[in-house]
Amino acid sequence: MAQNQTGKETVVPVKPPFKKPFKRPKRLRTGYEELSGYAFISPFIIGLVAFTLYPIVYSLYLSFTNYGMGGEYEWIGLANYERMFTTDDTWRQSLKVTFLYAGTAVPLRLVFALMVAVALNKIVEAVGLYRTMLYLPSVVGGSIGISIMWRQLFGNDGAFNSVLASIGLPTHSWLGDPGTAIWTLVALYGWQFGSSMLIFLAGLRNIPKTFYEASAVDGAKPWQQFFKITIPLLTPVILFNTIMQTIQGFMAFTPSFIVTNGGPMNSTLLYVLYMYRRAFEFFDMGYASAMAWVMLIIIAIFTAVIFKSSDKWVHYND
């Protein structure tokens, strides 16, 4: 008890005895703990070195040799690259087919995936069922079985010609005509739109509905909302899908190998299929390695151009 200036007694609070904050003793890092950490990450490091880094470096070395699956080989410098760019007409044909394939199939898949995603974004009930059914072609689309089914579908006696004949339209040898065979592969690639559709759908769900409500109050029509709100806010997702699908388009192999085997007249000979033939049918591994590095450079250039152009058309929320 204590007295203040008016003479009244007041209660003075008693401070608790001072205690030092408890500090956990520092644990000394021992060599055993560091070894344990390296032991846990060693499977990843071994796999990265053995199955990724070493094959990459070794393929670069082989591209300067005449290695042919066994036996002795020697260093030939840039001879494989010189042969590729000057005398190999089949290589130029495969590059031309691949550019046509990627240049048409990738936009087709992206547009189709965006349209389906916009439609699914407006569906409230059973959206999970629709999403699963539409994603299913992407899961099985790259398989051998689907490619065989596609070959039967567009064969001379296939279902597509049967439908045309049933409605009185002329049939056609879709896989035997050099002018139409490549478009059957483009249609197969566009049909596998499920993965892109899911990414587009996730991007659409992240666009705030208040933007659409405010524009509707101002009298904006649905197509104006799509081009003025949806597309600009979806451009980061479009950029991601464009890069991923472009890479997949250049690396396509199974449809060309199974459905048409590169024919007729090399009209569907994709780059990777020709590289496979050089490596495992003609046992020209050095030349195939050089082809792989040229394709890597082409994909890197396309990816860099797309990234560079994104400054002008991709809008971020910053």
Side-chain angles (χ1 to χ4, degrees):
M1 302 291 287
Q3 291 183 349
N4 56 16
Q5 296 177 352
T6 59
K8 295 183 179 180
E9 295 181 347
T10 58
V11 178
V12 178
V14 179
K15 296 182 180 180
F18 176 76
K19 292 183 179 179
K20 293 183 178 179
F22 174 75
K23 292 184 178 180
R24 188 182 298 276
K26 292 184 179 180
R27 298 179 59 185
L28 298 177
R29 181 175 294 178
T30 63
Y32 174 78
E33 290 180 341
E34 293 181 353
L35 289 177
S36 299
Y38 287 125
F40 277 113
I41 64 173
S42 60
F44 170 76
I45 294 177
I46 293 173
L48 177 66
V49 173
F51 300 109
T52 302
L53 296 181
Y54 175 73
I56 289 175
V57 175
Y58 191 57
S59 70
L60 179 62
Y61 169 72
L62 289 181
S63 69
F64 298 104
T65 68
N66 59 354
Y67 179 65
M69 295 288 284
E72 296 182 356
Y73 58 92
E74 58 184 15
W75 180 273
I76 58 174
L78 296 175
N80 285 327
Y81 295 94
E82 181 182 357
R83 169 186 163 196
M84 192 185 311
F85 289 110
T86 58
T87 62
D88 193 348
D89 295 333
T90 307
W91 177 81
R92 284 193 287 271
Q93 171 65 15
S94 68
L95 194 63
K96 176 183 174 183
V97 172
T98 303
F99 273 105
L100 175 63
Y101 178 80
T104 54
V106 171
L108 176 66
R109 175 184 284 190
L110 292 178
V111 171
F112 201 50
L114 179 59
M115 292 171 57
V116 175
V118 171
L120 281 180
N121 194 39
K122 297 183 181 300
I123 297 176
V124 178
E125 298 182 355
V127 64
L129 176 62
Y130 291 114
R131 192 165 49 201
T132 303
M133 293 175 61
L134 292 171
Y135 184 68
L136 194 59
S138 293
V139 177
V140 299
S143 65
I144 301 295
I146 291 298
S147 297
I148 294 175
M149 182 201 73
W150 208 259
R151 185 177 62 192
Q152 298 297 329
L153 185 66
F154 286 95
N156 293 335
D157 299 326
F160 196 70
N161 274 339
S162 299
V163 172
L164 293 177
S166 65
I167 58 178
L169 294 177
T171 60
H172 187 74
S173 179
W174 303 101
L175 300 179
D177 186 351
T180 58
I182 186 64
W183 301 113
T184 62
L185 303 186
V186 171
L188 175 58
Y189 190 84
W191 179 60
Q192 304 163 18
F193 60 89
S195 58
S196 301
M197 180 267 297
L198 284 181
I199 297 173
F200 277 135
L201 186 60
L204 290 171
R205 294 292 171 86
N206 287 328
I207 298 177
K209 293 183 179 179
T210 53
F211 293 167
Y212 296 100
E213 294 170 355
S215 63
V217 172
D218 293 336
K221 300 183 184 309
W223 64 270
Q224 290 176 318
Q225 293 177 335
F226 179 76
F227 287 105
K228 299 293 183 180
I229 298 176
T230 303
I231 293 297
L233 294 180
L234 206 60
T235 48
V237 182
I238 295 174
L239 172 65
F240 175 79
N241 267 338
T242 301
I243 292 174
M244 298 304 296
Q245 297 305 322
T246 300
I247 294 173
Q248 289 187 19
F250 277 110
M251 295 174 60
F253 169 75
T254 304
S256 177
F257 181 63
I258 299 297
V259 179
T260 60
N261 196 23
M265 300 173 61
N266 291 335
S267 61
T268 60
L269 182 63
L270 294 179
Y271 193 94
V272 179
L273 176 59
Y274 182 51
M275 184 170 62
Y276 166 82
R277 285 181 175 176
R278 297 307 313 183
F280 299 105
E281 292 183 7
F282 300 99
F283 303 113
D284 196 357
M285 295 296 292
Y287 189 73
S289 299
M291 288 184 62
W293 277 93
V294 171
M295 174 52 68
L296 176 64
I297 294 172
I298 292 174
I299 292 176
I301 291 174
F302 268 86
T303 304
V305 169
I306 295 173
F307 264 116
K308 185 66 177 177
S309 66
S310 65
D311 297 336
K312 301 183 182 301
W313 61 274
V314 176
H315 305 280
Y316 296 99
N317 296 326
D318 54 359

